[in-house]
Amino acid sequence: MSAEAAELEQRILLRTATSRDATVAGAVLSRAEFAPCACADMAALVHELQRGAGAILLAEEVMDRASMAKLAGALAAQEPWSDLPVIVLARQGADSHAVSVAMDEVSNVTVIERPMRVAALVSAVRTALRARRRQYEMRALLAGLRDADQRKTEFLATLAHELRNPLAPLSTALSLLARKRPAPEEAAKYYELMGRQVDHMVRLVNDLMEVSRITRGKIELHLGPVLLDAVIDDAIELSRPAIERAGHALEVDVSGEPLVVRGDAVRLTQVFSNLLNNAAKYTPAGGRVKLAAWQQQRQAVVQVSDTGAGLAPEMLNAIFEMFVQVSGTAKEAQGGLGIGLTLVKSLVELHGGSVEAASEGVGRGATFTVRLPLSKNGAAPAPQRSQDSWAAVIERVVLVVDDNRDAADSLAELLRTLGATVLVAYSGEEALQLARGQGVEIAVLDIGMPGMDGCELARRLRASPGGAAIRLVALTGWGQQGYRERIAAAGFDHHLLKPLNLAEFMRLLSR
C-alpha cells in the first residue's frame, strides 16, 4: 500500500452542523495529531469514505433520514472485514429520534453528549482509530490467507500436471514393451526412458519432503569443512544434462584460491544445482548460463546468472516464497512446483548465509547471489567419490513384505537377479509363518500395512528364535521425523524411502 493510501485510511471524516463547528472540531483533532477531513454534505462524506477513512464524526443536527440512508448504504457496501467506527455528537437532553435511528442502522456507533470535554472527544477518537487499525490488520491477514489459498490451489494443479508429465511416457513405454515385445537391444531405450521419468518423479517427491522438513525445522545438516570448488563441480555435473539439452553455453569462473566453508556438502550441492537448473529452465534455447565464485572479505560469493526470462521488480523477494512462480514463464520453465528457490533460501540461511535475486527486468535475465561465511579452520579434506555396489551379489535369504503385491513381487524379482534367495509375503501374519525355520538374514518390510503393520512385524521377528541376527530394513513412503523415531524404536537397522535406491540398498548391505 502506498503512503498516500495509508494516510487516507487514518482520516477522521467530519460532518458538522456549521462550517464554524467544522473549523473548531478540525483544530481540536489536528492538535491531537489526528487527520480531520471536513465534508460539506453527506454525499461528500460518502465520496471520501470510499477513498479511505479511520472513523466518522457526525453532529446530530445533520442526521436526517435521507442523509442517514446514504451513510448506511455506503457502510453496508464495505468489505466484510470493515466495521467503520461512527462517533455521534448528540445534543444535551432526552434521546432524539435521529440518534436512535442511527444506532439501529449503523452497527459501530459511539454517542457523546454535548457539551463535552476535549479530552473525552480525543479519547473516543483514539479508541475508534485503534479499533480501525485492528480491522486493517485483519484485512492484511485475510489477504494473506487468500493469497496462500490461491497459491495452494495453483500448486496442486501444477503438481498434478508435473506428475502426469512423467506418467505419460511411462505408460506409453509400458504399452510398447507389451505390444511389440522388442529384442533386448531395442528394449534398452524404453528402459532408459522409463528410468529417466521415474527419477524425475522421485525428485519431485523429494523436493516436497525437503520443504516439509525445512518448514517444520526438522532438517539435519552434517556440518564440516567443505571445499566449495568441489561442491560447485558436483552441482555442475548434476545440472549439465539440463543445460546441454537446452543448447546453452555454460561459463564457469571460479576463484583460483580454495574457498572453504563450514557446511553440508550434499545440501550445498543441492543449492547450486537448483540455481543452475532454474537458469537452464527459464532461459530460451541457445542462451548463456554463467557461474562465478570468489572471496569477498570473509565470505564466499557464488553467483549464477542467465540470459533468460528475467524478473519484474516486485518478484525479486517474492520469488523465494513457497509455491511462487513467475506468471507467464510456465512454457519457458517446462513446469516446476515453485519450491526450488524456497529450498535454496532455507538451506543457505541454515548455513548462516544469504541469497538475493537481481534482474534488469522481464526478458533481461536474472542473477542469484549466494553468500556463505568462510571457514576459520583452513582447507577441507580432499573430496572422496563414493562407489556404487551395483555389481555386488546378495547370496543371502531375504524376506520381502509389502501389502502392495506389485511392489513386493517386483522387488523380489530384482533381488533374485542379484543372487538372493527371496521369500515374499503380503501381510505381517503371512510373513511370520513364512519366516519360521527359513534362516532369514535380511527382512525388507513395508510399514503402512493393514492389520499388523511393519513396526509390529519387526518386533515379532526380533523376538523369534534367531531374530536378533536378522538385518531389518524399513522400506516406506513415510520419511517424517515421527515415523523415523517409531521405526527406530521398533528395532529396524535401516530406514529407506520408496522407491528403493538400489545403490544405497547395496551399500547398506555391504557394511
Side-chain angles (χ1 to χ4, degrees):
M1 178 184 294
S2 66
E4 180 183 1
E7 290 177 4
L8 290 174
E9 292 191 338
Q10 297 299 318
R11 296 183 304 167
I12 311 299
L13 303 184
L14 304 178
R15 177 74 183 99
T16 56
T18 66
S19 58
R20 181 177 180 281
D21 288 346
T23 301
V24 172
V28 170
L29 294 175
S30 295
R31 282 197 298 273
E33 298 185 347
F34 299 128
C37 175
C39 303
D41 52 33
M42 191 58 74
L45 186 146
V46 168
H47 173 73
E48 292 299 329
L49 170 59
Q50 292 169 347
R51 298 180 63 209
I56 294 175
L57 190 62
L58 291 179
E60 179 186 344
E61 291 84 350
V62 302
M63 294 169 53
D64 58 84
R65 186 174 296 277
S67 296
M68 291 308 296
K70 288 181 182 177
L71 179 59
L75 293 175
Q78 296 180 102
E79 294 288 334
W81 58 266
S82 179
D83 188 18
L84 185 67
V86 177
I87 300 172
V88 174
L89 303 181
R91 289 175 292 196
Q92 189 175 18
D95 291 341
S96 71
H97 178 69
V99 172
S100 298
V101 170
M103 295 180 67
D104 288 339
E105 295 190 3
V106 180
S107 60
N108 192 358
V109 175
T110 300
V111 178
I112 302 179
E113 189 177 88
R114 298 175 300 189
M116 60 190 167
R117 298 177 63 180
V118 170
L121 175 62
V122 170
S123 176
V125 171
R126 184 172 288 122
T127 299
L129 286 180
R130 189 180 299 117
R132 187 61 169 169
R133 281 193 287 270
R134 286 197 292 270
Q135 294 175 25
Y136 293 147
E137 291 171 1
M138 180 61 68
R139 176 185 62 184
L141 177 61
L142 290 173
L145 290 174
R146 280 195 299 269
D147 289 345
D149 186 61
Q150 178 65 22
R151 287 183 195 168
K152 182 188 71 175
T153 301
E154 293 174 356
F155 164 73
L156 291 174
T158 302
L159 177 60
H161 174 268
E162 285 300 293
L163 290 176
R164 285 193 188 102
N165 276 344
L167 284 173
L170 276 172
S171 177
T172 302
L174 284 170
S175 298
L176 286 169
L177 288 170
R179 291 174 64 86
K180 292 178 64 176
R181 299 192 180 280
E185 305 79 38
E186 183 184 355
K189 64 181 180 182
Y190 298 120
Y191 298 139
E192 291 173 4
L193 179 152
M194 294 165 69
R196 289 194 300 270
Q197 300 307 318
V198 169
D199 288 345
H200 177 60
M201 294 181 72
V202 170
R203 283 195 298 272
L204 290 175
V205 174
N206 284 345
D207 279 353
L208 289 172
M209 296 302 298
E210 291 284 79
V211 168
S212 173
R213 283 193 286 268
I214 288 174
T215 54
R216 291 181 294 114
K218 299 295 185 181
I219 197 164
E220 184 179 340
L221 296 181
H222 301 284
L223 298 175
V226 173
L227 185 63
L228 206 55
D229 309 55
V231 165
I232 290 172
D233 287 343
D234 289 343
I236 291 172
E237 193 61 31
L238 286 173
S239 304
R240 192 180 299 279
I243 294 171
E244 291 180 348
R245 272 198 307 272
H248 299 321
L250 175 63
E251 181 181 344
V252 180
D253 181 10
V254 178
S255 170
E257 56 183 314
L259 300 173
V260 181
V261 300
R262 178 170 172 76
D264 185 321
V266 173
R267 298 300 185 182
L268 290 176
T269 300
Q270 188 177 4
V271 165
F272 299 121
S273 64
N274 269 357
L275 290 177
L276 287 168
N277 286 337
N278 253 27
K281 287 194 298 183
Y282 286 97
T283 301
R288 182 174 58 84
V289 176
K290 180 178 180 180
L291 186 149
W294 66 92
Q295 179 176 341
Q296 188 175 77
Q297 297 177 345
R298 291 300 304 162
Q299 289 185 320
V301 182
V302 182
Q303 200 168 75
V304 177
S305 57
D306 60 65
T307 56
L311 295 166
E314 65 272 14
M315 294 300 297
L316 293 178
N317 291 323
I319 196 68
F320 294 104
E321 296 177 13
M322 186 82 77
F323 308 141
V324 168
Q325 289 182 304
V326 181
S327 59
T329 59
K331 184 177 179 181
E332 290 88 341
Q334 301 150 22
L337 299 179
I339 59 180
L341 289 177
T342 304
L343 280 173
V344 166
K345 184 174 187 291
S346 300
L347 290 173
V348 169
E349 290 178 349
L350 285 172
H351 282 81
S354 64
V355 58
E356 61 183 10
S359 176
E360 295 182 2
V362 175
R364 304 186 67 179
T367 298
F368 290 85
T369 304
V370 175
R371 300 178 188 276
L372 295 167
L374 288 169
S375 173
K376 300 177 182 179
N377 300 325
Q384 296 182 350
R385 303 288 182 179
S386 62
Q387 293 183 346
D388 293 338
S389 303
W390 286 83
V393 175
I394 310 174
E395 293 180 344
R396 302 181 188 179
V397 179
V398 181
L399 172 64
V400 174
V401 187
D402 197 321
D403 62 308
N404 184 322
R405 288 177 174 264
D406 287 342
D409 291 343
S410 59
L411 178 57
E413 189 62 31
L414 176 61
L415 294 175
R416 289 189 185 104
T417 67
L418 297 171
T421 300
V422 184
L423 309 173
V424 182
Y426 308 113
S427 68
E429 293 81 2
E430 184 183 356
L432 288 174
Q433 295 175 6
L434 192 62
R436 291 192 183 102
Q438 296 292 332
V440 174
E441 299 172 81
I442 301 166
V444 182
L445 312 181
D446 179 36
I447 298 301
M449 296 185 294
M452 185 191 304
D453 69 3
C455 290
E456 178 61 24
L457 174 57
R459 283 189 283 268
R460 295 199 187 186
L461 286 172
R462 277 279 185 252
S464 65
I470 299 175
R471 186 177 298 192
L472 296 179
V473 180
L475 182 61
T476 176
W478 300 103
Q480 293 92 326
Q481 186 62 30
Y483 281 93
R484 290 184 177 276
E485 292 169 355
R486 182 166 168 255
I487 287 168
F492 281 95
D493 298 294
H494 307 292
H495 179 190
L496 300 179
L497 292 177
K498 293 182 178 180
L500 177 69
N501 182 318
L502 183 59
E504 182 181 9
F505 181 64
M506 298 300 290
R507 283 196 296 272
L508 290 179
L509 298 185
S510 67
R511 291 178 185 172

